Amino acid sequence: MEIKKIKGVVKDYAWGNTDFIPSLIGGATGAPQAELWLGTHPSGDADVSGDGKLSALIRDDKSYLGDKDWQRYGGRLPLLMKVLAIAKPLSLQCHPNKAQAEAGWKREAEDRKSGLAVSYQDDNEKCEMILALSPITAMCGFRDIEVMKADLAAIVPSAFGRTLRALATDIENLFMSLFGLAEEEKAAILAELKASLSSSSEPSWDGLFLTRCGISRECLEQYPDDIGCLFPFLMNVVHLQIGEAMPIVPGTLHAYVFGNGIEVMNDSDNVLRGGLTKKRMDLPELRSIMKFSPLTVAKCTSSKDGFGRTVFSSPSPDFRLLAVKSGTYEIKEDPISIILVTEGCIRFSSKGESLMLEKGEAAIIPAGLEYTMTVRGEAYASEVPDA
């Protein structure tokens, strides 16, 4: 059958939880399992049942992308689908657009050959969206500078009067200046923050989600010496209910904090970090790609496509995310897609053949295939939109 099962790559980053991904695919180890990658990126190329790597299948069989998208993307799958299982705050991070990624990749070519640390892992932009499979708390984009100043004055009043008020002339100056502070001043600010949060009556949880104070407490527990612990008071805190999705465009500082979800993005692993991390930070490059204007976060909208599937609005022309619930769907003339069963099962029928996917199993579906999909439960698909 042309629809083929694929097996994703699990990433055991320390911020992951121990149970969500194993609850989907099995293989519990007791250690964190943070991400399940379903795509062709060299850092996590999925396996195809009986056919080697997914990248090789798509490269060697043009029918999977289809003629139009083969030409459009040069034989490369332009999207990457992931499952995220978040127990601890991720690093503050930002992603480049296409022009920035191409320039950075080219500029660092000699450094890569020499084995030096680099900021760019590929030449592609990284635009993304995340859909909540359980309640998700995240930070996304900056608040208005006056709102920031009011909260800083309330949470670290001594530091605000001594240092932060003068730095908060605008968002960019405050951001860059915080990382340039003397270590003694950073320590004093963080000590005041910790004391203020310890005496605060605001709980860390509001039932489903971490509060602003709760995020900062979590950050202090994980990164007690990192000035990024102050950033929950500088950034928008976003709460996603199950089934809600949020877009993140290049240039937006963000960090996922807690919860489980489906993420779809460009086929890229370009991450520039800005705090809450022990990994390398390239602040000059981060500054060059980041947007320092206030952001009003808008969640993705949804609608039904011509086949009855739920389609979420996408921040990119190169990918979109779809949800399918129990029912029968007659699909034809669709682009290439990756589908993952999160509950129940799916039976595919095409050209007299059939294939069953159980919970936790995923498949690659070639472009233009006519097939019937009978769903009992729930599944999510990522696909290349029509040009």
Side-chain angles (χ1 to χ4, degrees):
M1 190 175 191
E2 292 171 298
I3 301 174
K4 294 182 179 292
K5 290 185 180 182
I6 62 174
K7 183 179 180 181
V9 177
V10 174
K11 301 288 186 174
D12 58 354
Y13 306 136
W15 50 261
N17 64 46
T18 61
D19 56 352
F20 188 76
I21 289 176
S23 76
L24 277 177
I25 65 173
T29 64
Q33 295 188 30
E35 296 184 349
L36 173 67
W37 288 32
L38 296 164
T40 61
H41 195 278
S43 297
D45 197 356
D47 290 308
V48 182
S49 179
D51 282 297
K53 293 295 183 180
L54 181 57
S55 60
L57 175 71
I58 291 174
R59 182 186 65 242
D60 297 339
D61 188 342
K62 293 184 178 181
S63 68
Y64 275 85
L65 273 173
D67 290 339
K68 180 177 64 177
D69 284 334
W70 178 269
Q71 296 297 325
R72 183 181 173 190
Y73 297 111
R76 175 180 176 178
L77 182 68
L79 61 82
L80 173 60
M81 186 177 187
K82 297 181 182 180
V83 176
L84 268 59
I86 308 155
K88 303 173 184 177
L90 279 68
S91 59
L92 293 164
Q93 56 191 264
C94 190
H95 310 309
N97 62 31
K98 182 63 173 174
Q100 292 163 344
E102 288 179 340
W105 177 255
K106 182 178 180 180
R107 187 173 59 250
E108 294 181 336
E110 292 304 316
D111 289 344
R112 283 194 302 277
K113 290 178 183 177
S114 302
L116 299 176
V118 294
S119 295
Y120 292 89
Q121 309 306 312
D122 50 67
D123 65 352
N124 205 12
E125 74 175 350
K126 190 176 181 185
C127 189
E128 64 190 48
M129 61 189 295
I130 186 167
L131 180 139
L133 297 177
S134 70
I136 287 179
T137 298
M139 296 186 289
C140 183
F142 292 108
R143 306 162 82 195
D144 180 83
I145 189 68
E146 296 302 323
V147 176
M148 292 186 199
K149 288 160 67 174
D151 266 11
L152 291 174
I155 200 76
V156 285
S158 295
F160 184 75
R162 181 180 66 248
T163 304
L164 300 180
R165 186 200 307 271
L167 301 180
T169 54
D170 57 50
I171 296 172
E172 182 174 0
N173 191 65
L174 177 60
F175 177 88
M176 297 303 300
S177 298
L178 283 171
F179 290 101
L181 290 172
E183 291 304 315
E184 307 83 56
E185 181 60 16
K186 287 183 185 178
I189 293 172
L190 291 171
E192 186 178 7
L193 174 64
K194 185 174 182 179
S196 181
L197 291 172
S198 296
S199 62
S200 172
S201 60
E202 180 176 333
S204 290
W205 294 86
D206 68 1
L208 293 176
F209 303 103
L210 275 166
T211 64
R212 199 176 296 277
C213 287
I215 297 171
S216 193
R217 290 182 183 117
E218 287 285 324
C219 293
L220 282 166
E221 183 175 336
Q222 301 301 319
Y223 303 100
D225 303 319
D226 195 313
I227 199 65
C229 296
L230 204 58
F231 276 58
F233 300 97
L234 309 185
M235 299 176 66
N236 298 301
V237 172
V238 183
H239 295 147
L240 298 178
Q241 299 277 0
I242 295 173
E244 290 186 323
M246 175 178 70
I248 297 177
V249 300
T252 304
L253 188 69
H254 63 283
Y256 301 132
V257 176
F258 189 85
N260 307 293
I262 296 281
E263 189 178 37
V264 186
M265 63 189 67
N266 296 100
D267 183 37
S268 174
D269 197 26
N270 283 325
V271 179
L272 283 89
R273 294 174 177 84
L276 303 180
T277 183
K278 293 180 172 63
K279 295 183 178 180
R280 176 176 181 266
M281 288 172 50
D282 183 349
L283 285 172
E285 187 64 21
L286 179 65
R287 184 180 197 171
S288 75
I289 72 166
M290 191 185 297
K291 298 174 183 176
F292 289 99
S293 53
L295 176 69
T296 300
V297 179
K299 296 176 183 178
C300 299
T301 58
S302 64
S303 59
K304 295 291 186 181
D305 70 2
F307 305 118
R309 303 171 298 185
T310 299
V311 182
F312 294 89
S313 59
S314 174
S316 170
D318 297 323
F319 61 79
R320 65 178 183 175
L321 176 64
L322 305 91
V324 287
K325 308 289 185 178
S326 293
T328 298
Y329 303 82
E330 300 288 341
I331 310 295
K332 52 187 171 182
E333 299 302 321
D334 216 28
I336 188 173
S337 63
I338 292 173
I339 191 164
L340 170 69
V341 181
T342 55
E343 292 291 343
C345 63
I346 297 178
R347 178 177 293 278
F348 296 97
S349 301
S350 177
K351 300 178 181 178
E353 297 182 283
S354 65
L355 177 70
M356 178 71 79
L357 292 186
E358 305 285 352
K359 178 180 178 179
E361 292 187 314
I364 184 78
I365 305 173
L369 183 68
E370 294 190 16
Y371 61 95
T372 299
M373 178 172 63
T374 302
V375 180
R376 289 187 294 173
E378 182 177 81
Y380 292 90
S382 56
E383 70 175 27
V384 179
D386 293 329

